């Protein structure tokens, strides 16, 4: 059995498995962002020791176990289970007689058992376990960070010489455009594409990346001058992300640069795993930084790039909470924090963010026109 140990500030998670594909994926996925250690695990003490995290880590064990999958699934559906959408999959849960939480996602053919200090993932196929193992490990770290006073923000982040910028705005405002354009054209480092952890420390805001894929629309990919290279990688046989929507692959094969959408109208994007940010997108990832300024982009078709007047107000909609999280609800019960900890942390953070230098930019669809405007706006951290 082998293990990966992940650490981010006070939080830690350990993934154990007998499948090299699982540890390989978890290592690739988190290494650019968090501290990752891989090796043989002492089954009597899988958590090991650490010099940075201060919380007892949760162990996630992923294995092909048809018997456990069948037994847990049968228990969940022995009566009407609770149901929730989790990462676009209908997910069902039930509390077992022994107090553990059982979770089943039928379409993925996965079953989970959640007990204190241990989450077991039972699957039917080895290749189906690597993404869930990483996803649960990230959820464990998320919960640990929230208990330590960190807040997950809906923002992108770039790092300059020694400070960073947080970009806020509603969906479609241009957070990803700002992040990738700044990283590609201005030589800044990418800390976050869409989500980032933040906490006030000694009166300053500290940031930690939310480890995840970077999603890039085909239009933005083309505008950044990356489309042809990514298409060549596909045609050359390079492996794309396992969760990549086939419509994006089909568009790349057909050399179509127009955005593609699913049946609900949501744009389907290229998924770039963290270990391919340098090779596929030509950007340098970084895991943590101190905040230097905030920025409010607004992108619109036909707009002329220019500095703008700051009118956006950072609030509850810019934080991922039980009310605003629509992709990763706390289905495993991992984000429980003492009463008031999260609310106090969020209020303290909002107050601190209000005191930072702020700028705003209006961006158009011609990315080259946006570069000098963005460079001027981000001069304080460059």
């Amino acid at each position: 059995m082998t293990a990966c140990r992940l650490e981010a500030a006070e939080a830690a998670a350990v993934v154990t498995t007998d499948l090299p594909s699982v540890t390989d994926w978890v290592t690739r996925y988190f290494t650019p962002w968090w501290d990752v250690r891989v090796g043989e695990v002492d089954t009597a003490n899988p958590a090991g020791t650490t010099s940075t995290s201060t919380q007892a880590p949760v162990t996630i064990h992923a294995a092909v176990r048809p018997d456990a999958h069948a037994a847990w699934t049968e228990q969940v559906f022995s009566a009407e289970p609770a149901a929730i959408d989790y990462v676009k999959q209908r997910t069902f849960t039930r509390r077992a007689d022994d107090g553990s939480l059982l979770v089943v996602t039928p379409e993925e053919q996965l079953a989970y058992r959640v007990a204190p200090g241990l989450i077991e993932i039972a699957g039917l196929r080895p290749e189906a376990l690597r993404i869930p193992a990483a996803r649960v490990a990230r959820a464990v770290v998320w919960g640990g960070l929230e208990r330590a006073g960190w807040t997950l923000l809906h923002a992108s982040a770039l790092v300059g010489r020694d400070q960073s910028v947080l970009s806020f705005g509603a969906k479609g405002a241009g957070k990803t455009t700002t992040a990738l354009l700044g990283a590609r054209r201005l030589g800044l480092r990418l800390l976050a594409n869409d989500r980032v952890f933040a906490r006030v420390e000694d009166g300053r805001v500290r940031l930690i990346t939310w480890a995840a894929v970077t999603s890039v629309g085909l239009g933005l990919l083309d505008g950044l001058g990356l489309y042809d290279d990514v298409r060549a990688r596909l045609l050359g046989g390079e492996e794309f992300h396992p969760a990549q929507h086939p419509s994006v692959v089909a568009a790349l094969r057909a050399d179509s640069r127009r955005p593609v959408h699913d049946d609900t109208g949501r744009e389907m994007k290229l998924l770039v795993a963290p270990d391919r940010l340098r090779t596929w997108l030509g950007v340098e990832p970084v895991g943590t930084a101190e905040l230097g300024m905030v920025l409010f982009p607004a992108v619109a078709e036909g707009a002329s790039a220019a500095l703008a007047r700051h009118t956006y107000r950072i609030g509850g909609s810019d934080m991922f909470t039980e009310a605003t999280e629509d992709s990763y609800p706390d289905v495993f019960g991992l984000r429980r924090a003492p009463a008031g900890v999260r609310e106090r942390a969020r209020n303290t953070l909002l107050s601190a963010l209000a005191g930072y230098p702020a700028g705003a930019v209006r961006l158009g669809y011609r990315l080259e026109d946006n570069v000098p405007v963005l460079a001027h706006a981000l001069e304080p951290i460059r």
Side-chain angles (χ1 to χ4, degrees):
M1 185 166 62
T2 60
C4 292
R5 182 186 176 92
L6 319 174
E7 293 181 11
E10 295 88 345
V14 175
V15 178
T16 64
T17 182
D18 57 0
L19 299 169
S21 60
V22 171
T23 49
D24 177 66
W25 178 258
V26 172
T27 302
R28 288 173 51 195
Y29 200 87
F30 293 106
T31 294
W33 306 119
W34 298 343
D35 181 31
V36 181
R37 279 175 278 168
V38 187
E40 294 296 323
V41 64
D42 179 359
T43 55
N45 181 29
T49 60
T50 177
S51 59
T52 58
S53 65
T54 58
Q55 302 176 13
V58 174
T59 296
I60 301 103
H61 183 68
V64 174
R65 296 176 59 190
D67 54 344
H69 180 276
W72 298 344
T73 300
E74 181 180 4
Q75 289 184 63
V76 167
F77 290 103
S78 61
E80 189 68 25
I84 191 171
D85 287 330
Y86 177 69
V87 288
K88 305 175 190 174
Q89 302 289 336
R90 199 60 176 165
T91 302
F92 302 89
T93 67
R94 175 176 297 283
R95 186 68 62 177
D97 292 339
D98 63 0
S100 63
L101 176 67
L102 301 178
V103 180
V104 174
T105 54
E107 289 188 28
E108 293 182 312
Q109 296 183 309
L110 294 170
Y112 307 76
R113 179 179 178 272
V114 184
L118 176 64
I119 302 173
E120 299 172 86
I121 310 175
L124 304 182
R125 298 172 292 112
E127 63 271 17
L129 286 164
R130 52 181 178 169
I131 292 180
R135 187 184 295 151
V136 174
R138 184 176 60 191
V140 167
V141 172
W142 183 1
L145 289 176
E146 283 202 337
R147 287 189 291 278
W150 294 85
T151 296
L152 185 60
L153 296 174
H154 189 195
S156 67
L158 289 166
V159 181
R161 294 186 302 273
D162 53 11
Q163 290 188 323
S164 63
V165 57
L166 280 175
S167 295
F168 291 93
K171 186 177 179 62
K175 295 185 294 295
T176 297
T177 298
T178 299
L180 294 182
L181 197 59
R184 282 281 298 171
R185 302 295 173 84
L186 302 180
L188 301 175
R189 291 167 290 167
L190 180 67
L191 191 144
N193 171 56
D194 187 64
R195 301 178 180 221
V196 60
F197 291 102
R199 183 175 70 178
V200 179
E201 298 179 356
D202 298 324
R204 304 293 298 176
V205 173
R206 191 75 186 171
L207 306 175
I208 293 178
T209 193
W210 159 268
V213 298
T214 298
S215 301
V216 189
L218 293 181
L220 178 56
L221 190 72
D222 188 31
L224 290 169
L226 296 166
Y227 184 97
D228 291 330
D229 181 66
V230 170
R231 182 171 184 267
R233 292 177 182 278
L234 170 65
L235 298 179
E238 286 197 38
E239 180 188 12
F240 275 49
H241 192 282
Q244 180 64 67
H245 198 277
S247 64
V248 175
V249 176
L252 285 165
R253 289 192 183 279
D255 199 15
S256 172
R257 298 159 195 256
R258 301 182 63 180
V260 294
H261 301 84
D262 64 9
D263 294 339
T264 67
R266 185 169 62 95
E267 184 179 1
M268 298 290 95
K269 299 181 179 182
L270 175 72
L271 305 181
V272 182
D275 67 321
R276 293 183 171 178
L277 286 170
R278 294 184 180 94
T279 55
W280 284 36
L281 300 185
V283 302
E284 185 68 24
V286 61
T288 184
E290 181 180 296
L291 183 62
M293 64 173 293
V294 294
L295 184 71
F296 306 102
V299 62
E301 186 174 8
S304 298
L307 298 178
R309 184 178 179 182
H310 159 44
T311 59
Y312 191 89
R313 182 179 178 84
I314 304 171
S317 62
D318 299 296
M319 302 180 176
F320 286 99
T321 66
E322 292 80 359
T324 60
E325 176 58 76
D326 59 356
S327 296
Y328 305 101
D330 190 18
V331 67
F332 303 107
L334 300 172
R335 294 175 51 206
R336 294 173 183 157
V341 168
R342 284 182 291 187
E343 184 177 359
R344 287 194 298 271
R346 292 166 186 166
N347 290 338
T348 300
L349 179 59
L350 283 175
S351 178
L353 289 173
Y356 275 85
V361 289
R362 184 176 67 243
L363 304 176
Y365 279 17
R366 287 178 52 84
L367 297 188
E368 290 301 328
D369 295 342
N370 295 333
V371 173
V373 173
L374 198 58
H376 184 65
L378 297 180
E379 185 60 33
I381 68 159
R382 293 179 63 207

